[in-house]
Amino acid sequence: MDKFDILNKYFGYTSFREGQESLIGSILDGKDVLGIMPTGAGKSLCYQVPALLMPGITLVISPLISLMKDQVQALNQAGIHAAYINSSLSESQISKALQLAAAGQYKIIYVAPERLETYDFMNFVRQVEISMLTVDEAHCISQWGQDFRPSYLKIVQFINKLDKRPIITAFTATATENVKEDIVCVLGLKNPDILVTGFDRKNLYFAVETPKKKDTYVIDYIDKHSTDSGIIYCATRRNVDNLYEKLSKQDVAVTKYHAGLTSEERRLNQENFIYDRTPVMIATNAFGMGIDKSNVRYVIHYNMPQSLENYYQEAGRAGRDGERAECILLYSAQDVVINRFLLDNKEQNGEYTQDEINAIRERDEERLKAMTHYCMLTACFREYILNYFGEKGEPYCGNCLNCNREFEEVDVTEAALRIISCIVEAGQRYGINVIAGILAGSSRAKLREYGVLEYKSFGSLSEINEVEIKQIINIMLMNNLLWQTNDKYSLLKLTDKADEIMKSDTRVIYKRPKKNPETEKETASATAKRASSKMRRSDTLNSRGLELFEQLRDLRKTIAKEEGMPPYIIFSDKTLVDMCVRSPFDKSEMLKVTGVGENKYEKYGERFLNVILEYTGGVREKFYFGDMF
C-alpha cells in the first residue's frame, strides 16, 4: 500500500491538496517538517497518512480535549484505530488504552502535553516504538504567539528523555515569521522541510460592518441564515450573556460558552453546538481552538478582537469543509476602548521579567493598531490580511465587502489640519479619545478635569461627531501623518509628514462607502443580499439539487443521532454536495464521491444510495449548474 492507496481507501480522496504530498514525502524520507497551512487545508492528513505507512506508533500532541475527541472519532469512522489520552478519561481507562496501544491496537495516539511526563506514560513509551511525534497547533510553543501555553514546553523535555528520537513534525494555521522561527528553535527541529502553503482562504467572504445596533444586525442576520450553523464572538462575558438572552427570546436555537460557566456547562453547550442541536454558538475567545466542526457557515465578531492573529484564527473556524462561508466583524469605536481595558488588565506570566512584560505590552499595542486599521480599511480586506502575515495579496479579491461596494472620496484636509493643531496645542500628551472629544466640543468630566475646554481648538470640529473625527484620525495614522506611542496611553504624535501637510497643498482624502438615501440603515439582510451570490451552495446546485441535499442532510442527522456523534463526522457538507452533483446509483459510483472511503461506504453508503435512488427514481438527472466534469 502506498500513500495514494491510504488516501483513497480510508479518507475517500483521489488526490492530495496543495502541499500535502510534499510534506508526506518528506516525513516518509525520515525528515522533520513544519507545515504552516490555513485552516481547512488538510493539515491532519499530512501526519495521519504517513503514520499508517510507518512502523510503530505516532504520538500527536494536541492542546484541547475536544480536538482530540473529534480527530479520534473521525479516524475510527474511517476504519483507522486511534485513541486519545487526557483528563477526560479515568486512570483505569488511560491504563487500558496504554495496554492496548502497547499490544499494537492503535497506530495513532493523541495526548495532552500535561500527560507526557507522567510515570505511566513514560513507562509506556519505553515499551513501544515511537516512529513520529506530531505537534498540532504548534504556535502554542512560542512565547510570542497569541496562544502560548507553558505546558507545550514539556514536549521538548519529553523528546529529550526518549531512548530514540522520532521524526518530529509540527503544524499550525497561523504563524508570523517570529513564531515560525520560535517553533523550529524551541522544538529543536533538525534541518526541517518547511512548507508555507499560504494563508489565503478563498472560500471565506470578509466584511466589516458598523451598524448602529449590533443586536438588531445579528438577529436579522441569523433570521436570514436560519438553516446554517455559526459562531458569534464577543469580547466580554457580559456581552455573551446579554446577546444569548436576546436570541433565546427570538426562539433561536442558541447556546453560549465562556469561562464564567461551570466546566460541565461548557462541555454540554459545546457538545450541543457540535452535534447541531443548537447550531448557533455565542462565545468569548475561550471557545473554539481545536473545534473541528466543518459545517460552520458564518463567524460574526460582535466586537473587534485584539489582533489580526486572533481574528484570522477565529474567523477561520468558518468553512473548514472548503464550502463558502462568511466572516463579518461588527465594529464600533467602543471596541478599541474595551480592548485597551482588557490589555491593561491582562494577567501576566509570573516567569516574565519586567523588560519582557514591557516588550509584550508593546507588541500587543502594535497588534491592536493593526486590527483597528483593518476595521477602517477601504481597500481589499483579504489583501490586508495576507500582507500582515508576510504574503503578497492582490488589490482586488472579488470576495470581500470592500471589493464589492462603491466608495466616494471626501477631502478632509481641513479637518486633518484642525486635528494637527489640536494635538500641537495639547502638547502631544493625549490619545485619540481625548483629542476627538476636544475637537467635538464635548464637556464630559474627564475633559473638564484636564482643563482643555479653554483650548482654541475646543469645538473646532463640532459640525461632525466624535466617531467621524476618530475615523479621520485613523486615516491619518494609516497615512503616516500621525503615530501612536506603544504604551497603554497610546498618545498621538506628529510625524514629519504632518509638517508637509501644513506647509504644502497636499490633500488628505477619506474614502467612505456611498450611502443610499433609500436604505440609509445598513442591515444584515442587505449584507446577505449583496454577498449571497458569493457564498451559497446554490452556486453549485440547482433547485432540485438543493432539495436532494436537504434530504441527504436529514439522513445524516438521523444517523448522527443513532450513533451519538457530530453529523459532520458522518459526512461533511462538501461530501453531500458532491453526492448531489455525481448522483451515484451504485457502490463504485459512490466511492468516487469526495470523502467517501471504503469503511464509510460499508457503514453508511447503502442508506445514502437509497435516498438518491428514491429521489431520482433511478433516472439520471442533472442537479447542478454548468459543467462539473
Side-chain angles (χ1 to χ4, degrees):
M1 223 182 222
D2 63 15
K3 57 190 174 185
F4 291 102
D5 295 327
I6 295 289
L7 182 71
N8 186 251
K9 176 181 174 64
Y10 292 105
F11 300 101
Y13 301 120
T14 56
S15 61
F16 289 103
R17 297 184 193 176
E18 180 187 359
Q20 288 179 328
E21 188 175 358
S22 170
L23 284 178
I24 290 169
S26 295
I27 294 169
L28 293 176
D29 287 340
K31 296 181 180 179
D32 288 353
V33 305
L34 168 58
I36 302 174
M37 308 163 74
T39 303
K43 292 184 291 294
S44 301
L45 280 180
C46 293
Y47 60 81
Q48 291 169 349
V49 170
L52 300 180
L53 291 169
M54 294 190 295
I57 292 171
T58 288
L59 293 181
V60 182
I61 315 301
S62 185
L64 290 180
I65 290 171
S66 57
L67 175 62
M68 298 185 204
K69 188 176 180 181
D70 273 4
Q71 294 275 18
V72 168
Q73 273 190 325
L75 286 169
N76 287 329
Q77 280 293 303
I80 299 167
H81 295 298
Y84 59 81
I85 296 171
N86 56 45
S87 59
S88 71
L89 303 178
S90 66
E91 289 303 319
S92 61
Q93 287 175 316
I94 290 173
S95 178
K96 181 66 174 177
L98 293 178
Q99 287 176 20
L100 291 173
Q105 180 72 26
Y106 305 121
K107 287 292 291 179
I108 303 175
I109 297 176
Y110 287 76
V111 60
E114 295 82 1
R115 286 274 157 184
L116 293 176
E117 293 192 312
T118 62
Y119 173 81
D120 286 346
F121 195 78
M122 286 304 302
N123 187 48
F124 159 71
V125 296
R126 291 191 179 99
Q127 302 175 48
V128 298
E129 179 183 1
I130 306 298
S131 55
M132 178 167 59
L133 185 144
T134 294
V135 182
D136 202 7
E137 307 290 353
H139 62 273
C140 292
I141 205 166
S142 172
Q143 293 191 30
W144 307 110
Q146 78 274 19
D147 283 310
F148 170 61
R149 300 196 174 208
S151 61
Y152 258 54
L153 297 178
K154 297 179 185 292
I155 298 171
V156 182
Q157 300 166 18
F158 173 76
I159 293 171
N160 292 336
K161 289 181 180 180
L162 295 175
D163 296 332
K164 179 184 176 184
R165 183 185 184 277
I167 297 168
I168 310 297
T169 63
F171 298 90
T172 183
T174 54
T176 59
E177 192 63 30
N178 287 339
V179 172
K180 181 175 78 173
E181 291 172 1
D182 241 8
I183 294 170
V184 174
C185 180
V186 177
L187 276 178
L189 300 182
K190 294 183 177 179
N191 300 316
D193 281 352
I194 300 175
L195 179 73
V196 182
T197 60
F199 292 94
D200 194 6
R201 298 278 306 283
K202 290 183 171 61
N203 62 312
L204 299 185
Y205 170 88
F206 292 99
V208 174
E209 301 283 9
T210 55
K212 291 181 181 178
K213 295 182 179 179
K214 291 185 178 183
D215 293 348
T216 302
Y217 183 102
V218 171
I219 290 168
D220 191 20
Y221 185 95
I222 291 175
D223 182 57
K224 298 295 186 295
H225 298 79
S226 58
T227 62
D228 291 334
S229 182
I231 303 172
I232 303 166
Y233 281 107
C234 299
T236 65
R237 299 178 193 178
R238 171 187 273 184
N239 282 349
V240 170
D241 291 336
N242 289 344
L243 189 57
Y244 171 78
E245 291 298 326
K246 289 180 180 179
L247 289 180
S248 296
K249 289 178 181 177
Q250 297 288 326
D251 294 325
V252 175
V254 62
T255 188
K256 62 180 178 176
Y257 190 106
H258 59 65
L261 303 176
T262 66
S263 57
E264 179 59 20
E265 285 175 320
R266 292 197 301 272
R267 184 198 66 77
L268 181 60
N269 292 354
Q270 179 171 294
E271 189 175 275
N272 285 338
F273 174 68
I274 288 173
Y275 284 70
D276 279 341
R277 292 191 283 264
T278 49
V280 178
M281 168 63 80
I282 307 174
T284 61
N285 62 6
F287 173 80
M289 186 175 173
I291 296 298
D292 202 24
K293 184 173 165 64
S294 66
N295 64 332
V296 175
R297 298 270 64 88
Y298 61 86
V299 170
I300 296 175
H301 278 79
Y302 188 86
N303 304 105
M304 180 187 78
Q306 291 180 2
S307 71
L308 269 168
E309 286 93 339
N310 288 349
Y311 177 67
Y312 202 51
Q313 185 180 71
E314 291 159 11
R317 286 161 192 150
R320 292 178 67 101
D321 55 6
E323 294 292 287
R324 290 173 178 174
E326 288 191 337
C327 306
I328 300 171
L329 196 163
L330 306 183
Y331 174 75
S332 71
Q334 185 65 18
D335 291 339
V336 181
V337 177
I338 293 171
N339 278 313
R340 189 148 281 123
F341 172 82
L342 293 173
L343 289 180
D344 289 342
N345 293 275
K346 184 177 179 180
E347 186 176 337
Q348 296 291 354
N349 190 316
E351 299 174 8
Y352 290 148
T353 65
Q354 188 58 48
D355 285 345
E356 287 175 326
I357 290 172
N358 292 340
I360 290 170
R361 175 65 198 222
E362 186 172 332
R363 177 207 65 190
D364 289 343
E365 282 290 343
E366 285 290 342
R367 287 176 169 173
L368 184 57
K369 287 176 194 174
M371 188 72 248
T372 305
H373 288 169
Y374 175 86
C375 294
M376 299 290 178
L377 208 61
T378 55
C380 174
F381 289 118
R382 180 173 271 99
E383 180 192 29
Y384 185 91
I385 292 170
L386 295 179
N387 289 348
Y388 181 84
F389 287 107
E391 184 176 329
K392 182 172 174 55
E394 296 298 324
Y396 177 84
C397 74
N399 194 27
C400 79
L401 178 59
N402 281 352
C403 286
N404 286 281
R405 68 176 171 184
E406 293 183 26
F407 289 88
E408 59 183 356
E409 292 188 349
V410 181
D411 190 327
V412 292
T413 307
E414 185 60 36
L417 288 170
R418 293 184 189 181
I419 289 167
I420 291 171
S421 296
C422 180
I423 292 171
V424 170
E425 186 177 13
Q428 304 186 70
R429 292 182 293 117
Y430 298 117
I432 288 180
N433 290 331
V434 173
I435 295 298
I438 294 170
L439 289 160
S442 171
S443 61
R444 56 181 176 266
K446 181 178 281 190
L447 297 184
R448 291 198 301 272
E449 181 185 332
Y450 291 159
V452 300
L453 274 64
E454 303 303 318
Y455 283 9
K456 290 181 180 179
S457 54
F458 184 80
S460 61
L461 284 178
S462 58
E463 69 273 14
I464 59 179
N465 59 43
E466 285 190 51
V467 172
E468 197 162 347
I469 294 171
K470 289 176 184 178
Q471 287 174 331
I472 296 171
I473 291 174
N474 275 291
I475 294 296
M476 296 172 71
L477 286 166
M478 285 189 280
N479 289 336
N480 295 318
L481 297 170
L482 306 174
W483 65 280
Q484 290 173 291
T485 58
N486 287 325
D487 53 37
K488 66 180 181 179
Y489 303 108
S490 289
L491 305 181
L492 287 173
K493 305 285 186 179
L494 305 185
T495 67
D496 292 340
K497 202 171 176 182
D499 289 336
E500 294 175 17
I501 294 290
M502 299 177 73
K503 296 174 183 176
S504 69
D505 57 359
T506 304
R507 315 308 292 169
V508 180
I509 303 300
Y510 172 31
K511 282 176 63 180
R512 67 184 181 193
K514 278 188 178 179
K515 294 181 179 179
N516 183 339
E518 294 181 5
T519 57
E520 190 75 58
K521 194 176 180 182
E522 183 67 22
T523 65
S525 58
T527 301
K529 184 177 180 181
R530 180 171 56 246
S532 62
S533 63
K534 298 287 178 188
M535 57 87 61
R536 310 314 302 166
R537 61 180 65 92
S538 56
D539 283 357
T540 300
L541 303 178
N542 59 28
S543 59
R544 287 275 292 163
L546 289 171
E547 287 180 10
L548 176 57
F549 175 85
E550 290 302 326
Q551 290 194 19
L552 295 176
R553 189 157 70 166
D554 288 343
L555 173 59
R556 180 181 66 179
K557 191 172 184 178
T558 299
I559 295 173
K561 285 182 178 179
E562 292 171 358
E563 303 215 357
M565 67 176 57
Y568 61 85
I569 286 183
I570 307 297
F571 287 126
S572 69
D573 281 4
K574 187 172 186 176
T575 296
L576 297 189
V577 169
D578 202 38
M579 279 187 200
C580 297
V581 169
R582 294 180 182 275
S583 189
F585 286 176
D586 56 35
K587 178 179 179 179
S588 64
E589 291 178 350
M590 180 64 91
L591 286 173
K592 292 178 183 177
V593 172
T594 297
V596 181
E598 291 182 10
N599 197 68
K600 282 197 174 182
Y601 177 82
E602 294 304 322
K603 286 186 173 182
Y604 315 120
E606 290 290 338
R607 294 177 71 174
F608 283 88
L609 277 177
N610 288 339
V611 169
I612 294 169
L613 287 169
E614 183 176 346
Y615 185 78
T616 62
V619 177
R620 292 289 176 189
E621 185 177 347
K622 185 176 177 181
F623 294 117
Y624 57 89
F625 295 112
D627 297 320
M628 303 296 294
F629 306 106

